[in-house]
Amino acid sequence: MLEQLLAAERSLCGTATAAAVDALRATLRAALDAAPDDPGAPAGARLLAGLDALRGAPAADGAWPRLRPGSPERPAAAGLAEPAAELAKSAAVEDYAPGAVPPSAAGPDDEDRLRRWYHLTLLRLPERHAAPFRRRAAQLDPPPPGRWHELPGRYDEELLPPAPEGRAGLRTRRTPGGAGLRELSRIALRIGEFDASLCHLLEGLWTGGSALLCDPDVRDAYAAELDRRLDAVDRTADATPERVRALVRAAEAVCSVVHLPPAPPTSWWYRYAEDATGIVLDAARTAHAAGHDVEVFLPAGPYREARRHTQTDDVRLTAGGRPGDTLACLRLWLRAGDQVFPGRVVYRGTE
């Protein structure tokens, strides 16, 4: 039954089924990464393999299987079909965005589904790998003169081009004086509406497994907690330990929006987190210059070193980077006078 629905061309039911299967795949993949020793991991891995086969994930030899022998091929988006197939099979995706699989054609918005996957995947890759694919997209699938959803940011960037019909694109416009944490957070929330693999690991809301931001309920709960932390910053005075502490908590909410595994250095998402932590580091320097005994530290590098500044709530993965690497900082380490507030990171476990 699932195979028939997924193979149905120009079918609303087929599109809904494909979206549900993709969401389950992303959730299972994230849960297996975050909790490899979970009692349900073996069964979850078998189910994930079956769902990948249903959705046309690449086989071990790199070939693209049909849904079932003899089933009709379904047309892919004309402009990006070839570069998207190359991107999916590239070493960059295997190394830095494992599990990123282009969507199968399952409805009338096939072309835009592929376009969204393509550009959102590029945000997860180091710039040297993303740039050639971005240039090819500009030549083969130039952005139409469609509507744009513009958000204030730190740079002028086009993150997701608009669809020829309907969906608005997403771009940022440089804010004089630089965007703050509130502006940065709105960018991630907007991307989360389209990116089926983007989740949050915010302590207190995240309970293990994953919390995908494409789920409106998850996104609303996350946004509410984010706003509480940002509002707390607004209630503090400049150049004070209280402001730095509130900024650490707000930046934690911003930096807890990640992929599993987190994006590597020089990628767009890595720079996004750097921008957020940089705001806190600048505030700590300002407070220190004003005479306050404040120190902030970014846990990074080998995890054996980073964990000296964290607690036991770090997130262990079995993918991304090299065994023993710290993959992302979710919360900065802070000392304000005699008070110490531990950091929190995502790291690659040692096999």
Side-chain angles (χ1 to χ4, degrees):
M1 184 66 70
L2 275 177
E3 293 92 334
Q4 294 174 349
L5 279 171
L6 292 172
E9 295 187 20
R10 309 186 71 81
S11 165
L12 180 60
C13 291
T15 301
T17 301
V21 170
D22 285 344
L24 179 57
R25 288 167 64 213
T27 303
L28 275 174
R29 187 174 294 112
L32 288 167
D33 283 341
D37 299 325
D38 186 88
R46 290 193 296 272
L47 176 57
L48 180 59
L51 294 174
D52 283 345
L54 278 173
R55 297 294 282 130
D61 61 0
W64 290 86
R66 295 173 181 266
L67 289 177
R68 62 168 59 185
S71 65
E73 292 287 351
R74 294 175 300 194
L80 292 180
E82 183 177 341
E86 293 178 20
L87 176 62
K89 293 185 285 186
S90 69
V93 165
E94 181 179 350
D95 291 341
Y96 303 113
V101 178
S104 301
D109 64 342
D110 298 343
E111 185 172 348
D112 193 47
R113 292 175 65 237
L114 185 60
R115 180 181 295 109
R116 294 197 306 266
W117 175 87
Y118 187 93
H119 288 278
L120 294 175
T121 299
L122 294 183
L123 298 181
R124 301 175 60 181
L125 303 184
E127 182 58 26
R128 70 182 186 277
H129 295 293
F133 285 100
R134 196 173 287 117
R135 287 194 293 268
R136 291 180 67 182
Q139 296 172 351
L140 299 173
D141 186 49
R147 297 180 302 110
W148 289 90
H149 185 91
E150 291 192 354
L151 291 172
R154 297 209 149 195
Y155 317 94
D156 290 335
E157 294 182 299
E158 294 182 357
L159 303 178
L160 183 62
E165 298 178 2
R167 179 186 58 78
L170 175 62
R171 64 187 177 192
T172 59
R173 285 286 179 256
R174 185 178 181 276
T175 301
L181 292 177
R182 193 177 296 275
E183 289 78 18
L184 290 175
S185 68
R186 297 309 177 219
I187 300 171
L189 281 170
R190 186 66 178 179
I191 294 175
E193 296 180 27
F194 304 105
D195 192 335
S197 60
L198 187 63
C199 66
H200 80 78
L201 304 177
L202 185 56
E203 189 178 27
L205 288 182
W206 182 69
T207 58
S210 91
L212 294 171
L213 289 177
C214 59
D215 181 330
D217 292 336
V218 170
R219 193 166 60 251
D220 288 347
Y222 166 80
E225 176 61 22
L226 171 70
D227 283 341
R228 280 193 288 271
R229 298 188 182 204
L230 291 169
D231 290 344
V233 174
D234 294 339
R235 293 192 295 269
T236 60
D238 290 338
T240 62
E242 292 76 20
R243 167 63 64 93
V244 177
R245 171 60 176 151
L247 281 170
V248 166
R249 285 179 50 77
E252 177 188 8
V254 173
C255 294
S256 289
V257 174
V258 296
H259 294 86
L260 297 176
T266 78
S267 66
W268 184 89
W269 278 108
Y270 188 89
R271 174 161 52 85
Y272 171 85
E274 273 192 325
D275 289 342
T277 56
I279 291 170
V280 184
L281 294 172
D282 287 344
R285 284 190 285 268
T286 300
H288 190 269
H292 297 289
D293 185 15
V294 174
E295 182 182 6
V296 173
F297 180 78
L298 174 72
Y303 181 61
R304 66 177 180 273
E305 301 293 335
R307 67 184 177 186
R308 298 176 183 176
H309 297 89
T310 68
Q311 287 192 141
T312 57
D313 57 350
D314 294 330
V315 180
R316 180 183 185 274
L317 298 183
T318 58
R322 296 172 298 180
D325 281 353
T326 301
L327 303 178
C329 175
L330 303 178
R331 183 176 64 233
L332 293 161
W333 177 89
L334 166 66
R335 182 184 61 79
D338 295 332
Q339 287 188 298
V340 173
F341 302 92
R344 185 168 180 247
V345 300
V346 180
Y347 69 99
R348 169 77 180 268
T350 55
E351 281 76 22

